[in-house]
Amino acid sequence: MKTNRNLIQAVRMYKFQSLFIKSLILIFLLVIVPFTGLSVVTYVQMNKAIETEISGVNMNSLYRVKDSIETIFKQMERVSLELTYQDDVASFMLSPADNTTLNSKMKTIHDKISMFTRSIKYMDSLYVYSERNSYMLSNRFDSPLAEFDDKTWYKSVYQKMDSNRSYLDLRKRNDIYPYFISFTLPAYSYGTRIGAVTANIDIEELRNYLFQTGEQFENTYILSGDMVAYSNNRNEFMSNIHDIDLLSSADIFANITAPNTMIKAIHNQKYIVSVLPSEYKNLTYISLLPLNNYEQKMNELRTFLYLFFAIGVVIVLVVSLLISIKTFSPVNQIMSMIEDQEKLEPLMDTNEKNKWNELRTITTTIFRTLDAKRGLEQELQLRMYSLRKAQTIALQNQTTPHFLYNTLETIKYLAIELTKGHNTVSRMVTSLSDLLRRSLDTDNPLTEISDEIQHAKQYVEIMQARYPNKFDVIWQIQDSLLTCQILKISIQPLLENAFQHGIIPTRNPGQIIITGLRTSDGIVITVSDNGKGMPEDQLTSLQQKLASGVSLEEKHIGLKNLNQRIKLLFGDAYGVFITPNLHRGLAVFIVIPEKNDNQYIE
């Protein structure tokens, strides 16, 4: 009873934050999710089994259609081949137009043509053409080619042939009617084409013949490339597959090289779509079977699963409630111990201590954590005091550069006033003032490369005024890089490093070359000099420190500052790199990503 009262009290006090409610929801989900998953898997598997069965039936039917069609097409090829290799046909094709025996040969060939067209119901006509005498024989009309009634055959079939193989052509007789599938075999003599034999299938007669076989041809298509060679609707003959709504909506124009069956939703109706490519004439067979007839079975399956799921949810809820009540009892004990820490020992006798040793360990750990938390709070207060002190010092340090900037401006105007115009002193003070002002501008750490070059040139002017004829500076930066972004005060430290540690220690005039290139790594700015250089051991040590980002010796603080700023802003892949120059001196590289905006700055 006490546990039940504590349970009700906990639920009232914490509501949805109560551990009991959370445990109840968690246990419910841990049970209901697998249960739901099992139900869904069962439904999906059964649904998949039905669809697989239907897909198999549809694909088998498509195979039978393929066998029937290709048997008919191969029969047409055999007829063409048989006629082509007849001696009288070859003699007819080789005879000139004025040959006296031509009529007798034509009669013999005409009898053979009639035999084929009468015995094969779906064959509309059979043509035998001689290129030498330009004469056409057929079961309907024998005449010179110019007077032959099938005006489109010569251009659409004969003139396209370029090799000794059988051709399949889709066409309309005289571009009107009837619709033909023509099988043409050219005849050659010693490598020269002498004529051809064409067997024409009438699509309507073929459709009637196929329906008599009892096969299901509704929504069945035979494609030759992108053209429809056969369908249940004769108006779709020779149509492009993209122009047929059912095929276009099915979206099955991918390069399918193996038999494939899929389920497609077309105009809010599901179809089993089977695609069967054929190596014969590169034909493709497609069947679209609507699933309306199978919806009743699927509805019955869904109803059963819904009922099964509802009963399961009720059972799971009851079980979850019982488990949650049992699991709350240890939590209730822990809550009682924490509420009165001094009465921790009296709560348990010896048997209870042995039984509830885990609870004692948990509460002891909690109390130790509370003590540690108080210690961390004290340490945090001390660190916050130190942070505020550091911030105060930083604010005080900001006043000095502003004071120097204002003082330099005053000196410049005094120099101008004394000499009644600009002079070397005022120009140097102006450059120095601009350098200082730029260092104070911290609103945005980036600037365009053109601005950074201008800033670096001001430094060069000061150094050239101080050391006339001591060094030359050559700028070789691509114009296309001038609008790209670079860190402020990045080229000037490299110039200062080259001048102070490379050029000044030597007695001879020096040269500094600044180049800018676009590479696969990003933008590379190089400052190279022909000065003193650096011993190999010192150079190796400096390279390692630049790569690791550790603090450098005091004389290279400019490189350290720039290297760390680049790595902080762009990442460890970028930074400052240093190598010996080809002949003398050093070359220092800045590598940064190519950007034309501030998208990487928060």
Side-chain angles (χ1 to χ4, degrees), residues 29 41 60 96 137 150 238 283 339 411 444 462 480 500 511 554 558:
L29 291 177
V41 170
N60 289 335
L137 303 181
D150 191 349
M238 291 184 65
L283 297 176
E339 287 175 358
I411 293 173
N444 187 346
I462 294 174
S480 60
Q500 295 292 340
Q511 185 182 70
E554 190 65 25

mmCIF file of all heavy atoms in Angstrom, residues 29 41 60 96 137 150 238 283 339 411 444 462 480 500 511 554 558:
data_model
loop_
_atom_site.group_PDB
_atom_site.id
_atom_site.type_symbol
_atom_site.label_atom_id
_atom_site.label_comp_id
_atom_site.label_asym_id
_atom_site.label_seq_id
_atom_site.Cartn_x
_atom_site.Cartn_y
_atom_site.Cartn_z
ATOM 1 N N LEU A 29 6.875 1.424 -25.551
ATOM 2 C CA LEU A 29 7.480 1.573 -26.870
ATOM 3 C C LEU A 29 8.419 0.416 -27.192
ATOM 4 O O LEU A 29 8.465 -0.055 -28.330
ATOM 5 C CB LEU A 29 8.239 2.902 -26.953
ATOM 6 C CG LEU A 29 7.379 4.174 -26.941
ATOM 7 C CD1 LEU A 29 8.267 5.407 -26.954
ATOM 8 C CD2 LEU A 29 6.429 4.195 -28.117
ATOM 9 N N VAL A 41 6.258 -6.026 -41.013
ATOM 10 C CA VAL A 41 7.048 -6.975 -41.806
ATOM 11 C C VAL A 41 6.165 -8.085 -42.348
ATOM 12 O O VAL A 41 6.288 -8.500 -43.509
ATOM 13 C CB VAL A 41 8.196 -7.550 -40.956
ATOM 14 C CG1 VAL A 41 8.875 -8.716 -41.673
ATOM 15 C CG2 VAL A 41 9.225 -6.460 -40.660
ATOM 16 N N ASN A 60 5.945 -14.512 -67.133
ATOM 17 C CA ASN A 60 5.826 -15.756 -67.908
ATOM 18 C C ASN A 60 4.949 -15.549 -69.138
ATOM 19 O O ASN A 60 5.237 -16.073 -70.223
ATOM 20 C CB ASN A 60 5.243 -16.858 -67.027
ATOM 21 C CG ASN A 60 6.230 -17.325 -65.973
ATOM 22 O OD1 ASN A 60 7.444 -17.192 -66.147
ATOM 23 N ND2 ASN A 60 5.737 -17.852 -64.871
ATOM 24 N N PRO A 96 18.908 -8.707 -117.732
ATOM 25 C CA PRO A 96 18.598 -7.340 -118.177
ATOM 26 C C PRO A 96 17.111 -7.207 -118.490
ATOM 27 O O PRO A 96 16.394 -8.192 -118.626
ATOM 28 C CB PRO A 96 19.469 -7.171 -119.426
ATOM 29 C CG PRO A 96 19.686 -8.558 -119.919
ATOM 30 C CD PRO A 96 19.728 -9.453 -118.713
ATOM 31 N N LEU A 137 8.395 -7.793 -108.496
ATOM 32 C CA LEU A 137 7.391 -8.847 -108.502
ATOM 33 C C LEU A 137 6.732 -8.916 -107.139
ATOM 34 O O LEU A 137 7.413 -8.806 -106.119
ATOM 35 C CB LEU A 137 8.037 -10.199 -108.815
ATOM 36 C CG LEU A 137 8.832 -10.314 -110.122
ATOM 37 C CD1 LEU A 137 9.371 -11.725 -110.272
ATOM 38 C CD2 LEU A 137 7.965 -9.946 -111.322
ATOM 39 N N ASP A 150 3.481 0.334 -104.290
ATOM 40 C CA ASP A 150 4.031 0.657 -102.965
ATOM 41 C C ASP A 150 5.166 1.671 -103.160
ATOM 42 O O ASP A 150 6.339 1.327 -103.289
ATOM 43 C CB ASP A 150 4.547 -0.610 -102.291
ATOM 44 C CG ASP A 150 4.887 -0.368 -100.819
ATOM 45 O OD1 ASP A 150 4.915 0.807 -100.405
ATOM 46 O OD2 ASP A 150 5.121 -1.362 -100.096
ATOM 47 N N MET A 238 4.131 2.669 -84.736
ATOM 48 C CA MET A 238 5.190 3.609 -85.137
ATOM 49 C C MET A 238 5.176 4.894 -84.326
ATOM 50 O O MET A 238 5.797 5.876 -84.709
ATOM 51 C CB MET A 238 5.093 3.942 -86.633
ATOM 52 C CG MET A 238 5.439 2.776 -87.552
ATOM 53 S SD MET A 238 5.414 3.238 -89.304
ATOM 54 C CE MET A 238 6.756 4.420 -89.363
ATOM 55 N N LEU A 283 14.694 -5.985 -80.007
ATOM 56 C CA LEU A 283 13.304 -5.713 -79.633
ATOM 57 C C LEU A 283 13.167 -5.722 -78.114
ATOM 58 O O LEU A 283 13.938 -6.369 -77.403
ATOM 59 C CB LEU A 283 12.371 -6.766 -80.233
ATOM 60 C CG LEU A 283 12.313 -6.827 -81.768
ATOM 61 C CD1 LEU A 283 11.439 -7.977 -82.213
ATOM 62 C CD2 LEU A 283 11.795 -5.504 -82.337
ATOM 63 N N GLU A 339 15.832 12.082 0.356
ATOM 64 C CA GLU A 339 15.068 13.099 1.087
ATOM 65 C C GLU A 339 15.567 13.274 2.516
ATOM 66 O O GLU A 339 15.486 14.354 3.083
ATOM 67 C CB GLU A 339 13.586 12.716 1.090
ATOM 68 C CG GLU A 339 12.921 12.904 -0.274
ATOM 69 C CD GLU A 339 11.487 12.399 -0.272
ATOM 70 O OE1 GLU A 339 11.053 11.869 0.780
ATOM 71 O OE2 GLU A 339 10.815 12.513 -1.312
ATOM 72 N N ILE A 411 51.453 64.391 -35.522
ATOM 73 C CA ILE A 411 52.813 64.615 -36.022
ATOM 74 C C ILE A 411 52.780 64.914 -37.523
ATOM 75 O O ILE A 411 53.507 65.780 -38.041
ATOM 76 C CB ILE A 411 53.689 63.390 -35.722
ATOM 77 C CG1 ILE A 411 53.885 63.242 -34.206
ATOM 78 C CG2 ILE A 411 55.038 63.487 -36.435
ATOM 79 C CD1 ILE A 411 54.590 61.977 -33.800
ATOM 80 N N ASN A 444 36.203 42.753 -39.316
ATOM 81 C CA ASN A 444 36.202 41.608 -40.227
ATOM 82 C C ASN A 444 37.655 41.200 -40.458
ATOM 83 O O ASN A 444 38.461 42.018 -40.883
ATOM 84 C CB ASN A 444 35.546 41.980 -41.556
ATOM 85 C CG ASN A 444 35.365 40.779 -42.466
ATOM 86 O OD1 ASN A 444 35.943 39.725 -42.250
ATOM 87 N ND2 ASN A 444 34.551 40.939 -43.490
ATOM 88 N N ILE A 462 57.833 52.696 -46.446
ATOM 89 C CA ILE A 462 58.523 53.119 -45.214
ATOM 90 C C ILE A 462 59.937 52.537 -45.181
ATOM 91 O O ILE A 462 60.927 53.234 -44.869
ATOM 92 C CB ILE A 462 57.717 52.670 -43.982
ATOM 93 C CG1 ILE A 462 56.376 53.424 -43.938
ATOM 94 C CG2 ILE A 462 58.495 52.913 -42.702
ATOM 95 C CD1 ILE A 462 55.457 52.945 -42.842
ATOM 96 N N SER A 480 43.422 37.948 -61.647
ATOM 97 C CA SER A 480 42.171 37.264 -61.308
ATOM 98 C C SER A 480 42.041 36.987 -59.810
ATOM 99 O O SER A 480 40.958 36.663 -59.327
ATOM 100 C CB SER A 480 42.065 35.934 -62.061
ATOM 101 O OG SER A 480 43.153 35.086 -61.720
ATOM 102 N N GLN A 500 63.926 41.842 -42.595
ATOM 103 C CA GLN A 500 64.688 41.910 -41.350
ATOM 104 C C GLN A 500 65.682 40.755 -41.230
ATOM 105 O O GLN A 500 66.802 40.953 -40.768
ATOM 106 C CB GLN A 500 63.732 41.893 -40.151
ATOM 107 C CG GLN A 500 62.818 43.103 -40.060
ATOM 108 C CD GLN A 500 63.587 44.380 -39.743
ATOM 109 O OE1 GLN A 500 64.716 44.340 -39.235
ATOM 110 N NE2 GLN A 500 62.982 45.535 -40.036
ATOM 111 N N GLN A 511 66.690 41.474 -53.200
ATOM 112 C CA GLN A 511 65.462 41.487 -54.014
ATOM 113 C C GLN A 511 64.406 40.603 -53.342
ATOM 114 O O GLN A 511 64.719 39.499 -52.889
ATOM 115 C CB GLN A 511 65.751 40.972 -55.424
ATOM 116 C CG GLN A 511 64.554 41.078 -56.371
ATOM 117 C CD GLN A 511 64.884 40.518 -57.738
ATOM 118 O OE1 GLN A 511 65.045 39.314 -57.906
ATOM 119 N NE2 GLN A 511 65.001 41.408 -58.726
ATOM 120 N N GLU A 554 60.897 34.110 -30.436
ATOM 121 C CA GLU A 554 60.429 35.489 -30.454
ATOM 122 C C GLU A 554 60.700 36.197 -31.775
ATOM 123 O O GLU A 554 59.902 36.995 -32.236
ATOM 124 C CB GLU A 554 61.094 36.254 -29.307
ATOM 125 C CG GLU A 554 60.529 37.645 -29.059
ATOM 126 C CD GLU A 554 59.089 37.585 -28.593
ATOM 127 O OE1 GLU A 554 58.691 36.556 -28.027
ATOM 128 O OE2 GLU A 554 58.356 38.573 -28.801
ATOM 129 N N GLY A 558 55.959 37.084 -36.011
ATOM 130 C CA GLY A 558 55.045 37.441 -37.098
ATOM 131 C C GLY A 558 54.538 36.217 -37.836
ATOM 132 O O GLY A 558 53.363 36.097 -38.158
#
